[in-house]
Amino acid sequence: MADFREDTQYFYCPDYKKYVKCHKGIFYNIKDGVEMQNDFYDKILIGDIYTEDITKEEYYKHMN
């Protein structure tokens, strides 16, 4: 679940099979091993997308 007190948060979205980072309100996901900005995941903040919290290490291990 999104925590507004944190500058950077990491999520896994099982419905979309995507790893997502939120840094200061801007969302990024990993596509083909590259981090890209993607506003689609703004919906995490209002609970429209189910997420699981992950660690920074888990997120970055999926990048090339």
Side-chain angles (χ1 to χ4, degrees):
M1 172 180 264
D3 183 350
F4 297 105
R5 298 171 295 174
E6 300 290 328
D7 280 344
T8 305
Q9 300 173 76
Y10 302 92
F11 307 100
Y12 176 66
C13 302
D15 295 339
Y16 299 98
K17 297 181 173 81
K18 296 289 184 181
Y19 292 89
V20 177
K21 174 176 88 173
C22 178
H23 179 70
K24 296 186 177 183
I26 300 172
F27 285 84
Y28 303 86
N29 74 302
I30 298 173
K31 182 176 181 180
D32 299 325
V34 178
E35 186 174 69
M36 304 179 73
Q37 184 178 346
N38 190 331
D39 293 335
F40 172 78
Y41 294 98
D42 288 0
K43 298 174 190 174
I44 288 172
L45 297 177
I46 59 172
D48 276 358
I49 296 177
Y50 173 76
T51 62
E52 298 172 359
D53 294 340
I54 60 171
T55 63
K56 177 180 181 178
E57 293 77 20
E58 177 71 18
Y59 177 82
Y60 282 107
K61 84 177 187 181
H62 295 280
M63 292 178 61
N64 289 339

